Amino acid sequence: MTPRPESSDPHPEQPAEQRRAEQPTTARKKTTAKKTAVEKAAAKKTATTSAAAKAAATKKAAAPGKRAAAGEAATKKAAVKKAAAKKTAKAPAAKKTAAKKAAARKAAVRETAVPDAVLRQAPPPGPAAAQSVPPEVEIAVSPAVDAADRERLLSGTHHAPHSVLGAHPVPGGVVFRVFKPYALAVTVVSGGLTVELHDDGDGFFSGLLPLREVPAYHLLVTYEGTVQETEDAYRFLPTLGEFDLHLIGEGRHEELWTVLGAHPMTHQGVTGTRFTVWAPNARGVRVAGGFNFWDGTGFPMRSLGSSGVWELFVPGVGEGELYKFETTRPDGSRTLRADPMARRTEEPPATSSIVTSSHYEWGDAQWLERRAEVPAHQAPFSVYEVHLPSWRPGLSYRELAEQLPAYVKDLGFTHVELMPVAEHPFGPSWGYQVTGFYAPTARLGTPDDFRYLVDALHRAGIGVIMDWVPAHFPKDDWALAEFDGRPLYEHADPLRAAHPDWGTLEFDFGRREVRNFLVANALYWCQEFHIDGLRVDAVASMLYLDYSREPGQWTPNEHGGRENLDAVAFLQEMNATVYRRCPGVVTIAEESTAWDGVTRATHHEGPSGFGGLGFGLKWNMGWMHDSLQYMSHDPIHRKYHHHEMTFSMVYAYSENYVLPISHDEVVHGKRSLVSKMPGDWWQQRANLRAYLGFMWSHPGKQLLFMGQEFAQGAEWSEARGPDWWLLDPDYGAQADHRGVRDLVRDLNTVYRHTPALWRRDTEPDGFRWVAGDAAEDDVLAFLRYDGDGSPLLAVCHFAPVVRHAYRIGVPDDVPAWHEVLNTDDGRYGGSGVTRPDPVKPEAQGWHGLPASIRLTLPPLATVWLRPA
């Protein structure tokens, strides 16, 4: 953990009175005798003669006993005069009537006996003030906020409100200044004493009290009809220490979420919430929320030096409070923004941030200890992709936790991949236009509810991968766009900032604080929510400066190339940091080009001159497009497209691949997976089953989108989710859909128990073509090998006919082969052309192998055989 010492500001704020010139005095005499605290006070406002001053000084030095008695008498006299002055004082704020103020004072102020160390209100300037000050007290500063500070506080442009407001030692005592708009009166309470401050107008209250040091105190604030007892937010030291601010400035704070945002805490013995936000271009920042009726005027934040961070500890504010930051832009205009680091938000379309803390107790320690034992590319890895809001529409995170883990475990998937769960304002964006990068969407519950879902999946033995979107963000005027009045999270160059495809803004990956925001966000999901993998969206759009841009719409990099060097550096830093900090977590790139070294280590330079990006896995978009294109052809034409199924093996080991049939392939007119297949309803399902068998046996990991596991015919819609009614026993064709789902279950079961299908996914020696050129027969056959040489034979037949005694070459060291899976099995809805008995090889060599077997190939089917 990054230490966060509770320390003072590295750039101490000087009280305003120390920055102002003292009022001139006509005569000030310094003596060599001892001076009391009263003698150290500033010069009197009323002019005195030098002779009188000398006489007073001599009298004090000679008669300390008399001085004390005179001081006590003067104090009592001042108290009487103060009471009289109150009756004649005029309210400076036009909207506050004398009647209201009198009533407020009666409610708030309790008359008490006043000892020597009395808390005394400093009266307003003028003749009455001069009369009420004991002759031995010299006042050098006015307790009221001066005109310049007053204007900056009212306009929301003060960078150091704590230097003006609160309690500050000054010559003559301690000055108290409070800024409470709409208050009728403010009273300082210390111990058993209460003293009302003077109303300076516009919500400002002040008083100069003859104290040696700042006491422990709190405030009574009187509003019309109510009195609130509160701590003074401007009496607290900064909550962030030098080290945190240094790391933020360097862009290296790997636990950024622990120091920025809203955090309930106990600070200097007081409970409240620390608000911090990065807004380096702002002229001022204030906190607004439900606790101050969305008026941030009285809650200005302080700037913590050159870090660009603004901070305010607000006592009494706790979990569940709504808030935003009111920022004054460089041009003087104001904007109300959600917290970029908010860890909880309102449910859209509401946009406020919510103060939160986690109280969840995890139960997945055993899972976390075990997940790092085997790297993802050497382990079974089959993924069920889920859009949580529509998987079972209407279910919350906790309700999903009762159903999703059981369903996924029954089907045998090793992982789920969740489409983006970070908060997003527009539901049909499916989460790919994020505004709350640190907050799980409130549509389904609280952050702890989401933790409960992840925990439930882990306890069921299922890993959790989350789609993560660091490429871009929407332009909503309450979110990140020009957050503090200038481009901040986005690139300053409009051509670099605007994403040409999605109407969004691209992050400025070259700015260290922005990189820090994103790298820390990746760690946040892994550490705070125990996420096991991040599938990074739209990597190609990040890597290329000319992505979807015409000539003249982009500028080459410093070497004259099209590579976005800032994005490359960011991805390398993100991957290296995640793998260093989170053992067992895997990162996956959705990258659709031939970029060299997506899954190569960052410190290994490739032929292009770049180090690897450092991902663990990469989506094989080429395999997906080619294989789906082949399957969409009528079988009579497939022989002309045979290369579309074999070409993937040319580059299969260039990266560590995932074979994805994702949400993108079953929407927007692309049709569902089964509907892409040619032929009648039986042939469509048979083609689908054969394709799934091919997919699960091809080198690489598998990903299947929800609804495709039971051959849903309709395209997916986020508004209604999968068509679960197809599995209803009362539906006439439910057996057709259950058959496909049963096949998926068996594919996963055999896959997990057959290391040859996953152990050497990234090693060329783990694969061998048997029949890669049988285009006329629409046949593919290949061997997969485990680390110890144990094989699995996969034969895929994509023609709608039965081929008898079809000869397939095999090794000669296997005495017999046993059929372990056949997608034409009647249980799956097939024609039942299966072989329950083992088949023995013949000595006749075939397909370049020393032996062969003769099989009856079912129509439109994939068959797996293992040594018997």
Side-chain angles (χ1 to χ4, degrees):
M1 290 276 296
T2 301
R4 300 193 308 281
E6 195 172 273
S7 67
S8 61
D9 193 337
H11 308 283
E13 297 163 332
Q14 298 297 326
E17 46 277 3
Q18 294 184 24
R19 301 194 305 270
R20 294 195 290 261
E22 292 187 352
Q23 296 179 8
T25 58
T26 56
R28 177 178 294 171
K29 178 74 174 179
K30 294 185 177 180
T31 71
T32 58
K34 292 183 180 179
K35 293 185 179 181
T36 65
V38 176
E39 290 172 320
K40 295 179 182 178
K44 297 179 182 178
K45 287 186 178 180
T46 57
T48 59
T49 65
S50 298
K54 290 179 181 179
T58 303
K59 187 175 181 179
K60 292 176 196 173
K66 291 182 180 181
R67 183 175 69 244
E72 182 177 355
T75 300
K76 292 179 180 178
K77 184 176 180 181
V80 173
K81 289 184 176 182
K82 179 179 71 173
K86 287 182 182 177
K87 295 180 181 179
T88 59
K90 295 182 180 180
K95 61 183 177 182
K96 301 174 184 176
T97 66
K100 287 181 180 179
K101 298 183 74 63
R105 287 167 181 157
K106 289 178 182 178
V109 182
R110 178 165 57 83
E111 295 297 334
T112 62
V114 184
D116 289 344
V118 64
L119 296 177
R120 193 164 44 81
Q121 175 191 4
Q131 294 173 8
S132 65
V133 178
E136 70 272 23
V137 178
E138 301 177 6
I139 300 178
V141 296
S142 167
V145 176
D146 70 18
D149 285 323
R150 185 184 182 109
E151 174 58 30
R152 291 167 66 198
L153 287 167
L154 287 170
S155 63
T157 58
H158 208 298
H159 75 284
H162 293 71
S163 69
V164 178
L165 304 176
H168 300 277
V170 296
V174 174
V175 66
F176 290 80
R177 300 191 188 97
V178 177
F179 183 31
K180 294 290 182 183
Y182 313 113
L184 301 179
V186 174
T187 301
V188 173
V189 179
S190 180
L193 305 177
T194 61
V195 173
E196 183 179 347
L197 300 181
H198 181 261
D199 187 343
D200 300 324
D202 292 329
F204 292 93
F205 299 82
S206 66
L208 177 61
L209 310 184
L211 303 174
R212 294 179 183 271
E213 59 185 20
V214 175
Y217 71 97
H218 62 275
L219 305 174
L220 291 177
V221 184
T222 304
Y223 298 96
E224 187 170 1
T226 185
V227 177
Q228 294 182 358
E229 185 173 358
T230 182
E231 297 285 347
D232 185 357
Y234 297 91
R235 76 172 182 85
F236 295 95
L237 296 172
T239 57
L240 296 186
E242 268 188 70
F243 189 49
D244 284 319
L245 294 175
H246 171 75
L247 291 176
I248 291 171
E250 291 292 312
R252 296 291 180 184
H253 206 305
E254 294 178 356
E255 293 185 347
L256 192 65
W257 68 92
T258 65
V259 292
L260 295 184
H263 290 270
M265 63 188 303
T266 299
H267 181 48
Q268 294 178 216
V270 176
T271 59
T273 294
R274 174 189 70 199
F275 294 93
T276 46
V277 64
W278 179 61
N281 298 311
R283 293 177 61 189
V285 183
R286 304 190 284 204
V287 181
F291 53 88
N292 59 16
F293 302 98
W294 293 100
D295 186 340
T297 306
F299 290 78
M301 305 175 74
R302 63 175 149 207
S303 173
L304 299 181
S306 62
S307 65
V309 175
W310 299 76
E311 181 258 9
L312 180 66
F313 175 73
V314 182
V317 171
E319 294 182 49
E321 291 281 4
L322 306 182
Y323 72 99
K324 285 186 177 180
F325 293 114
E326 182 187 81
T327 300
T328 303
R329 301 182 179 104
D331 64 1
S333 62
R334 297 193 192 115
T335 179
L336 195 62
R337 298 297 178 115
D339 182 1
M341 301 292 297
R343 291 168 293 123
R344 184 182 174 191
T345 67
E346 283 189 289
E347 182 177 352
T351 59
S352 295
S353 305
I354 301 178
V355 178
T356 188
S357 286
S358 175
H359 303 282
Y360 188 75
E361 295 183 7
W362 289 90
D364 62 349
Q366 186 176 1
W367 168 270
L368 296 180
E369 292 171 3
R370 193 177 66 246
R371 74 178 181 184
E373 292 176 354
V374 181
H377 63 277
Q378 296 177 354
F381 196 92
S382 60
V383 183
Y384 184 64
E385 188 186 17
V386 179
H387 180 252
L388 284 178
S390 69
W391 184 74
R392 296 278 193 182
L395 296 188
S396 67
Y397 289 128
R398 289 184 179 265
E399 291 166 335
L400 283 163
E402 302 304 317
Q403 298 188 32
L404 183 60
Y407 183 80
V408 176
K409 184 176 183 179
D410 175 66
L411 289 181
F413 287 97
T414 65
H415 291 74
V416 294
E417 180 176 314
L418 309 179
M419 291 169 68
V421 297
E423 193 59 271
H424 50 283
F426 184 52
S429 77
W430 310 330
Y432 291 98
Q433 295 194 9
V434 179
T435 50
F437 281 81
Y438 284 79
T441 180
R443 293 171 174 86
L444 307 179
T446 68
D448 275 358
D449 293 337
F450 179 61
R451 288 180 173 92
Y452 182 86
L453 171 59
V454 175
D455 201 0
L457 286 160
H458 283 171
R459 285 184 275 110
I462 300 162
V464 181
I465 300 165
M466 187 188 84
D467 278 13
W468 186 54
V469 192
H472 62 120
F473 57 91
K475 297 179 180 179
D476 300 72
D477 59 7
W478 50 267
L480 295 183
E482 293 192 350
F483 181 78
D484 58 3
R486 291 179 181 165
L488 187 65
Y489 290 91
E490 67 271 38
H491 203 283
D493 181 351
L495 292 180
R496 290 280 298 274
H499 197 290
D501 290 344
W502 303 315
T504 53
L505 296 171
E506 297 185 11
F507 281 104
D508 182 0
F509 302 110
R511 184 161 190 167
R512 60 180 180 270
E513 297 95 341
V514 175
R515 269 201 322 271
N516 193 174
F517 174 82
L518 293 171
V519 171
N521 186 240
L523 291 173
Y524 171 74
W525 290 104
C526 297
Q527 294 184 195
E528 293 292 325
F529 293 95
H530 295 195
I531 296 298
D532 304 294
L534 298 173
R535 177 268 194 185
V536 183
D537 182 65
V539 171
S541 74
M542 302 165 65
L543 291 175
Y544 297 98
L545 295 169
D546 62 346
Y547 184 87
S548 286
R549 292 177 171 90
E550 299 297 328
Q553 296 180 339
W554 63 281
T555 303
N557 62 33
E558 60 194 62
H559 305 298
R562 56 196 285 257
E563 300 86 2
N564 186 338
L565 303 181
D566 294 334
V568 171
F570 157 67
L571 291 170
Q572 291 174 328
E573 179 183 349
M574 181 277 297
N575 281 312
T577 306
V578 167
Y579 278 99
R580 172 171 51 84
R581 292 285 300 262
C582 307
V585 168
V586 62
T587 59
I588 307 167
E590 186 214 15
E591 205 284 311
S592 56
T593 74
W595 182 278
D596 174 48
V598 172
T599 58
R600 189 172 60 239
T602 58
H603 59 283
H604 288 170
E605 186 175 301
S608 63
F610 289 102
L613 296 182
F615 284 94
L617 297 168
K618 171 185 173 177
W619 274 20
N620 194 336
M621 313 292 279
W623 171 89
M624 178 191 69
H625 290 301
D626 288 347
S627 62
L628 288 178
Q629 182 70 22
Y630 174 87
M631 294 304 300
S632 68
H633 294 302
D634 189 281
I636 198 172
H637 301 301
R638 284 176 175 168
K639 63 182 179 181
Y640 304 110
H641 301 273
H642 196 73
H643 64 281
E644 293 174 350
M645 292 295 266
T646 61
F647 181 67
S648 59
M649 290 311 303
V650 173
Y651 61 87
Y653 302 105
S654 62
E655 303 280 5
N656 305 333
Y657 282 116
V658 174
L659 312 178
I661 302 298
S662 72
H663 64 278
D664 276 330
E665 303 312 309
V666 295
V667 291
H668 300 158
K670 296 179 183 177
R671 299 175 292 172
S672 69
L673 190 54
V674 71
S675 297
K676 296 177 189 289
M677 306 299 165
D680 59 23
W681 175 233
W682 187 92
Q683 289 184 337
Q684 284 182 311
R685 289 182 291 117
N687 274 299
L688 173 59
R689 293 192 302 268
Y691 179 68
L692 292 174
F694 166 72
M695 174 182 175
W696 253 255
S697 55
H698 190 284
K701 311 307 180 182
Q702 296 77 38
L703 179 141
L704 188 65
F705 184 60
M706 65 183 195
Q708 311 315 301
E709 78 274 14
F710 58 83
Q712 173 176 314
E715 283 190 337
W716 169 65
S717 166
E718 80 284 345
R720 70 170 188 272
D723 291 336
W724 296 107
W725 56 271
L726 295 172
L727 300 172
D728 192 319
D730 294 332
Y731 175 58
Q734 60 89 19
D736 297 343
H737 300 279
R738 287 185 179 273
V740 175
R741 191 175 68 171
D742 290 343
L743 170 65
V744 171
R745 180 189 296 110
D746 289 351
L747 284 169
N748 277 322
T749 300
V750 177
Y751 169 79
R752 294 181 76 159
H753 292 90
T754 308
L757 290 173
W758 45 263
R759 180 86 70 191
R760 303 175 73 185
D761 266 333
T762 60
E763 301 174 24
D765 290 344
F767 176 91
R768 175 172 179 169
W769 277 116
V770 174
D773 57 355
E776 290 292 333
D777 300 327
D778 296 329
V779 170
L780 297 169
F782 49 86
L783 289 162
R784 299 292 307 278
Y785 291 99
D786 188 3
D788 60 4
S790 299
L792 177 134
L793 175 63
V795 182
C796 305
H797 181 217
F798 294 111
V801 298
V802 178
R803 297 191 188 276
H804 298 278
Y806 195 86
R807 190 174 294 276
I808 300 288
V810 294
D812 59 0
D813 57 352
V814 177
W817 295 84
H818 173 65
E819 188 175 279
V820 292
L821 186 137
N822 186 329
T823 66
D824 193 51
D825 195 307
R827 295 181 299 118
Y828 310 138
S831 63
V833 179
T834 62
R835 184 179 185 121
D837 300 325
V839 55
K840 295 182 179 181
E842 301 174 5
Q844 182 177 354
W846 206 255
H847 291 135
L849 290 165
S852 60
I853 57 176
R854 289 188 295 174
L855 300 175
T856 298
L857 300 185
L860 300 173
T862 292
V863 179
W864 292 354
L865 301 102
R866 280 195 310 218

